[in-house]
Amino acid sequence: MDLAIVGLGKMGASISLRLLRGGHRVVVYDVDALSIEPLVKHGAEGARSLEDVVSKLPPPARVWVMVPSGDATQQTLDTLAGLMKPGDILVDGGNTHYKQSVARGQALAAQGVHFLDVGTSGGVWGLENGYSLMIGGTDSAVGALEPVFKTLAPAPDQGWGHVGPSGAGHFVKMVHNGIEYGAMQAFAEGFALLHKKNDLTVDLSQVAQIWQHGSVVRSWLLDLAAAALKDDPGLEKIAPHVADSGEGRWMVAEAIEQDVAAPVITLALLQRIRSRETLGFSDRLLAALRQQFGGHAVKPPDME
């Protein structure tokens, strides 16, 4: 099948390579021209612009966008929407807010262009292990790209599915990422407690490896934790600063909007935000309040 991939970051590049391995014809484009060349060497066809992307595809054109979320995604999708013709299929595989995908699906449908929002999970391991694909859109558009989904998924009949109309794919991916926040936080807190118990000298890497087999908490996240702890047992090479892509925030806001309690995920998000407070002002104020009302001792800055 002929397909274009727009956006050749780590995910876009690995998706392109997996499709090439599956025998698909892939046209690739990125604003960074240097990122195109490695894929051309693997058999992809490079494009010089979004106009060139569409012109290189036989009708109906099928374009999959994998650019950073936010303005970059919206500008790219808007430009492509103006270039595509009735019957063409436009896919957003990035992390877009589902409400924007609902609106985009409706707008494109009015001009006869099919839109699919595909929540894509798998990270840099997806090239070898396959991707989990959560797809929103019409039956006909999903059916047209079924060979692509079967190639990208871990197996033709596993790890992908049509979850609902436009917006549903990104909605399910948003919830998926929220669950990921909570699971990661639980592992982080558990291993932090193990690390703190110095008198028992627990080997964290060993514990992670034990839990990988037979334990009810075994998972891919645990596998990744085991790999990280084996490489750097004290995690001394990593700063205690945790970023977030935004989907956790969207999920917490949606939970509030829908009156669904999500305390674990909410606290996991807040812990990530807290990790960036390098000045620790809130902690300083807490210590000051304890000193004020109870005369409790405080540490000067040079003892932190």
Side-chain angles (χ1 to χ4, degrees):
M1 175 174 288
D2 298 277
L3 181 78
I5 303 296
V6 173
L8 302 177
K10 291 180 180 179
M11 285 279 282
S14 61
I15 284 174
S16 300
L17 285 172
R18 191 169 175 90
L19 289 171
L20 288 167
R21 291 180 183 179
H24 299 273
R25 174 178 174 255
V26 182
V27 175
V28 295
Y29 170 73
D30 193 277
V31 292
D32 177 11
L34 294 178
S35 65
I36 297 173
E37 295 307 315
L39 291 166
V40 170
K41 292 179 180 178
H42 282 89
E45 183 175 349
R48 300 181 304 276
S49 65
L50 292 177
E51 291 80 5
D52 195 27
V53 166
V54 176
S55 70
K56 289 181 180 294
L57 296 171
R62 301 174 176 93
V63 181
W64 185 306
V65 176
M66 286 297 294
V67 302
S69 61
D71 291 341
T73 293
Q74 297 311 309
Q75 291 172 10
T76 301
L77 292 173
D78 287 342
T79 300
L80 285 167
L83 297 171
M84 303 186 83
K85 299 176 181 178
D88 290 348
I89 301 176
L90 181 57
V91 179
D92 179 6
N95 291 331
T96 298
H97 195 289
Y98 81 93
K99 291 182 179 179
Q100 293 177 316
S101 295
V102 171
R104 186 169 296 280
Q106 295 171 346
L108 288 173
Q111 65 183 73
V113 175
H114 301 286
F115 176 72
L116 296 177
D117 54 293
V118 180
T120 307
S121 180
V124 296
W125 297 89
L127 175 59
E128 301 301 331
N129 299 335
Y131 298 91
S132 175
L133 305 171
M134 300 143 262
I135 309 161
T138 63
D139 291 335
S140 59
V142 173
L145 284 187
E146 185 171 313
V148 170
F149 300 138
K150 288 183 174 180
T151 298
L152 292 176
D157 60 344
Q158 294 178 350
W160 73 279
H162 182 194
V163 297
S166 293
H170 282 151
F171 181 77
V172 173
K173 178 58 162 51
M174 177 187 73
V175 175
H176 164 281
N177 281 23
I179 293 171
E180 179 184 291
Y181 277 45
M184 290 173 65
Q185 185 65 30
F187 276 122
E189 292 174 7
F191 278 102
L193 181 57
L194 292 171
H195 178 69
K196 186 73 172 180
K197 192 65 175 175
N198 295 323
D199 57 318
L200 295 182
T201 62
V202 175
D203 184 331
L204 302 190
S205 178
Q206 179 195 30
V207 170
Q209 292 176 52
I210 292 171
W211 287 352
Q212 282 179 286
H213 306 283
S215 166
V216 295
V217 297
R218 65 187 184 275
S219 64
W220 187 49
L221 286 175
L222 178 60
D223 294 343
L224 297 177
L229 290 167
K230 182 179 180 180
D231 177 63
D232 182 10
L235 299 180
E236 297 173 355
K237 303 175 184 177
I238 302 173
H241 178 105
V242 189
D244 71 278
S245 64
E247 293 213 6
R249 300 178 185 226
W250 298 343
M251 180 174 170
V252 170
E254 185 71 21
I256 293 171
E257 184 176 327
Q258 299 298 330
D259 281 335
V260 173
V264 171
I265 294 168
T266 301
L267 288 174
L269 170 63
L270 294 177
Q271 280 294 96
R272 291 194 180 197
I273 295 172
R274 190 182 189 281
S275 75
R276 305 164 208 164
E277 296 179 359
T278 55
L279 296 179
F281 181 83
S282 61
D283 291 336
R284 295 174 195 270
L285 182 58
L286 286 172
L289 289 172
R290 293 184 77 249
Q291 182 187 44
Q292 291 291 326
F293 70 68
H296 301 289
V298 296
K299 296 181 179 180
D302 59 357
M303 293 182 62
E304 291 181 339

